[in-house]
Amino acid sequence: MRSTLPRLLILLAAHAVVLPSVAQTPGAAQTPGAAQTPGAAVPAADPKTGIRPLPTAAAPKAAVKKAPVKVSATLSKPEPVFGDRFEVVVVLRYPTDVRAFFPRNPDLKPLLTLPGDAGRVERREENGETVEVLHIPVLAVKSGLLRTPKVEVPWHRVTASGGAGESGTATLKGLRIVVRSQFADATDVKAAPLPKPMPLVEENVPLKVGLLVLAMMLLAGALTAVGLRVYRNRALRAEPEPEIPPHVVAFGKIANLRKSERLGDGEPRLILGEISAILREYVGRRYRMPALDMTSTELLESLDDKDLRGVQLSEFQDFTSIGDLVKFAKQPATPEFLGEQLTWVERVVDRTMQTPEEVERLRQQKIARLARQKRLQIQVMAPAQLRLLAFAIDLFIGGALTLLIAWLAIDTAKQGLFDASYGVFIAWLVLRDLLGDASPGKAIVGLRIAQWDETFEVDAEAALREDAAARRLSRQAAVASFGARLQRNLLMILPGAGLAAEALTCWYLPEMRRLGDQWAETRVIDARYGLRKVVTGWGPGAVVAVCALVALLLPLFVLGGRPL
């Protein structure tokens, strides 16, 4: 008993000392130096264990750096009425070394921004700051209490070198707007006049231009088809104008000289020279020789083997000798003598003139010669497949230039440059043949532009071998002049109408000379005539033409269209 009592007293004393400390910090002793932060919340004790966790120190708040751009907005009408047009006035304030970029078309729904009115901007300097005031026109299309969304305003600081330094965004808080109904304060409700209608649909310029060009092409095609039909019908009925026989011309000039009475009072040398010219012109046309350019000796030698039908060569020799004496030795000549010489010339014409059979035979020979010349002219003309390929290449080059300039205009939002890109295309179609005797497309395919020559003569040997004559014609054809190469493409100033008219003319006429070629008297010939093994078909030209058309339409319908 005595030994047990002291032990109980010691246990009671220890319990009395330990119990308060356990109640204060259950489960663990407080870490020295971990003082509780003033104002920090004390954690609640766990309901199961009764242990309260140690309070943690609150993390210090990070300092928020304010943006250098201040944005505010007001309304030009504090309480607009439904259907009213008013302005949202946005004020930007920022240092002079900062650039702020307010969105061009901010989202202010449920207010409706006007697509045709971009508003106005005012900028000034105040107290070392830039103040930018934007007036954005809007339309109230909804009544009641409205709130616009926030608008982010990017900004950056300009460095000393002119580049962009520190950057960020400022926020324009949403506006609270009360839009009153038109009948909110009305006691006598009446229908108000409707507001002036405003276009909300953007004008489709590419569609209008395309429809206009298509209409021009259809109209030009119809008119050209009618004109070509009339022209071809007349050409089929037309025949070469009959050549006036040389004796008819000579008799007419002799009669006119006698009626003029110049035989009696004229200068003998001049009168005899006129009589000699009548004879020489007749002989030259009758026997196909340049008698007017021959000397007297050359003329007599040329007449030696001709059928003079009873007229002696000595008579021609006496006439030329007397004429030389009067003209150069100044021998006097009486009117009677001049009359005798004129009568002799008339008798020579009468005895050697062509018979009707000879006139008809010569006419048929001329028709055959002209037909052969025309056949050779057509033979060396460039085939339609090659001309299509050459034109398609030129079209593709112009389309590529237009695409490049239009792409740059869309990227820089320059409306004038976009319009100029299609002006460059038209100028290319007009001026493409001025680089030489052929455009780039013709030079690649092997064609060239030559002058149309109706006087091309075919000798007897070449006439038997028309292929050789055509090859010679292809090599020796005269190059078209600078003015002719420009003139042949002037119809391309109206690309739709001009292209339709030129294509129909080239396809319809046998010579394959389009309107520009006929106007400028030019033609497109195959510079490699006789050297081609195979002539390409229609496929390559059609593929290149489609590619050129795609290049022309890409800026209008794919890359964004004409800048506003």
Side-chain angles (χ1 to χ4, degrees):
M1 278 300 285
R2 291 180 181 178
S3 61
T4 305
L5 183 58
R7 292 179 182 177
L8 292 174
L9 292 176
I10 292 172
L11 290 174
L12 290 174
H15 180 71
V17 173
V18 176
L19 186 60
S21 63
V22 174
Q24 182 179 1
T25 57
Q30 185 175 357
T31 304
Q36 184 175 348
T37 303
V42 178
D46 191 342
K48 294 183 179 180
T49 61
I51 300 175
R52 187 190 306 271
L54 291 176
T56 57
K61 296 183 179 179
V64 179
K65 190 173 183 180
K66 294 184 178 180
V69 179
K70 300 177 183 179
V71 189
S72 61
T74 57
L75 303 178
S76 60
K77 286 186 178 182
E79 291 188 3
V81 179
F82 177 84
D84 279 356
R85 174 176 173 170
F86 58 99
E87 293 179 345
V88 176
V89 182
V90 180
V91 180
L92 303 176
R93 292 179 176 272
Y94 47 87
T96 55
D97 62 342
V98 173
R99 297 291 181 270
F101 307 95
F102 193 82
R104 184 176 180 183
N105 296 313
D107 183 12
L108 299 178
K109 295 178 181 178
L111 299 179
L112 178 65
T113 56
L114 305 180
D117 190 353
R120 66 185 191 278
V121 180
E122 300 173 359
R123 188 178 285 106
R124 64 180 183 273
E125 302 288 337
E126 281 187 4
N127 300 327
E129 288 185 335
T130 301
V131 179
E132 191 174 351
V133 182
L134 297 90
H135 299 263
I136 305 174
V138 293
L139 189 67
V141 294
K142 187 177 181 181
S143 61
L145 180 59
L146 311 177
R147 188 177 183 87
T148 62
K150 298 179 181 179
V151 179
E152 299 292 336
V153 182
W155 61 270
H156 69 78
R157 198 177 297 276
V158 181
T159 62
S161 62
E166 180 187 1
S167 62
T169 57
T171 303
L172 173 62
K173 297 180 179 180
L175 298 175
R176 293 173 59 87
I177 307 169
V178 178
V179 179
R180 294 184 298 108
S181 172
Q182 292 181 344
F183 309 108
D185 301 328
T187 56
D188 186 11
V189 178
K190 293 182 180 180
L194 295 176
K196 185 178 180 180
M198 292 182 299
L200 300 180
V201 179
E202 182 181 350
E203 184 179 9
N204 195 335
V205 176
L207 180 61
K208 289 185 175 181
V209 174
L211 292 177
L212 178 61
V213 172
L214 181 61
M216 291 172 60
M217 293 181 66
L218 293 176
L219 179 61
L223 294 178
T224 305
V226 174
L228 287 175
R229 183 176 294 275
V230 174
Y231 170 81
R232 191 164 188 174
N233 292 338
R234 290 184 178 179
L236 292 175
R237 293 193 301 265
E239 293 184 358
E241 294 184 1
E243 184 178 358
I244 302 177
H247 61 272
V248 175
V249 177
F251 284 144
K253 291 185 176 182
I254 292 173
N256 292 335
L257 181 59
R258 280 178 174 159
K259 291 179 181 178
S260 65
E261 298 181 357
R262 286 184 290 123
L263 292 174
D265 54 5
E267 175 66 26
R269 289 185 298 118
L270 298 179
I271 299 301
L272 192 59
E274 187 174 351
I275 296 173
S276 176
I278 294 174
L279 177 63
R280 284 174 174 268
E281 182 182 1
Y282 167 74
V283 171
R285 293 187 58 194
R286 172 67 177 84
Y287 297 105
R288 304 291 179 183
M289 64 175 68
L292 288 173
D293 300 327
M294 291 180 175
T295 63
S296 299
T297 304
E298 293 172 343
L299 179 61
L300 293 174
E301 291 177 355
S302 300
L303 291 174
D304 189 23
D305 58 346
K306 298 295 186 294
D307 181 15
L308 300 179
R309 297 183 181 176
V311 180
Q312 301 299 320
L313 190 61
S314 59
E315 298 181 40
F316 282 94
Q317 187 174 5
D318 294 342
F319 176 79
T320 56
S321 300
I322 293 173
D324 291 340
L325 290 175
V326 173
K327 288 187 292 184
F328 302 112
K330 299 182 179 180
Q331 179 176 336
T334 62
E336 291 77 10
F337 173 77
L338 296 177
E340 292 175 358
Q341 298 298 316
L342 185 60
T343 302
W344 178 81
V345 169
E346 186 177 15
R347 186 171 67 253
V348 170
V349 173
D350 182 65
R351 295 179 65 178
T352 60
M353 68 179 183
Q354 299 169 342
T355 63
E357 292 77 12
E358 290 179 325
V359 172
E360 179 63 22
R361 179 172 54 82
L362 292 175
R363 190 181 73 85
Q364 294 297 332
Q365 290 178 356
K366 180 179 180 180
I367 293 175
R369 185 176 68 256
L370 293 178
R372 183 168 57 251
Q373 291 178 2
K374 189 172 184 179
R375 187 167 58 252
L376 289 176
Q377 297 276 17
I378 296 175
Q379 190 171 346
V380 300
M381 297 290 284
Q385 298 91 329
L386 296 181
R387 293 195 66 174
L388 174 62
L389 180 58
F391 180 73
I393 294 175
D394 291 337
L395 204 65
F396 182 78
I397 295 174
L401 291 174
T402 302
L403 175 61
L404 181 62
I405 299 175
W407 193 355
L408 180 62
I410 294 172
D411 188 58
T412 56
K414 293 183 178 179
Q415 188 182 95
L417 185 60
F418 185 88
D419 297 339
S421 65
Y422 286 89
V424 169
F425 175 72
I426 296 176
W428 166 253
L429 290 182
V430 175
L431 305 176
R432 70 186 190 277
D433 289 330
L434 301 183
L435 302 177
D437 61 350
S439 65
K442 296 183 182 67
I444 293 173
V445 177
L447 311 179
R448 69 187 184 95
I449 304 172
Q451 200 71 29
W452 181 263
D453 187 9
E454 293 284 0
T455 61
F456 176 76
E457 294 290 343
V458 184
D459 54 23
E461 181 181 359
L464 299 177
R465 297 178 289 105
E466 289 192 357
D467 189 68
R471 191 178 298 112
R472 182 168 66 86
L473 176 60
S474 173
R475 304 294 185 273
Q476 299 177 358
V479 178
S481 63
F482 182 89
R485 297 199 305 272
L486 174 63
Q487 185 179 355
R488 70 186 297 271
N489 289 329
L490 288 181
L491 285 178
M492 292 298 176
I493 294 178
L494 298 175
L499 184 61
E502 298 283 36
L504 283 175
T505 308
C506 186
W507 179 269
Y508 198 77
L509 295 181
E511 302 93 346
M512 291 187 63
R513 295 176 64 210
R514 56 185 179 87
L515 288 178
D517 285 327
Q518 298 190 30
W519 183 22
E521 295 184 354
T522 57
R523 54 181 173 162
V524 179
I525 64 175
D526 187 0
R528 302 175 188 170
Y529 179 82
L531 303 178
R532 299 182 187 273
K533 296 181 179 179
V534 178
V535 177
T536 182
W538 297 98
V543 171
V544 178
V546 170
C547 294
L549 184 62
V550 170
L552 288 173
L553 297 180
L554 270 178
L556 293 174
F557 299 103
V558 178
L559 300 182
R562 187 169 180 257
L564 299 176

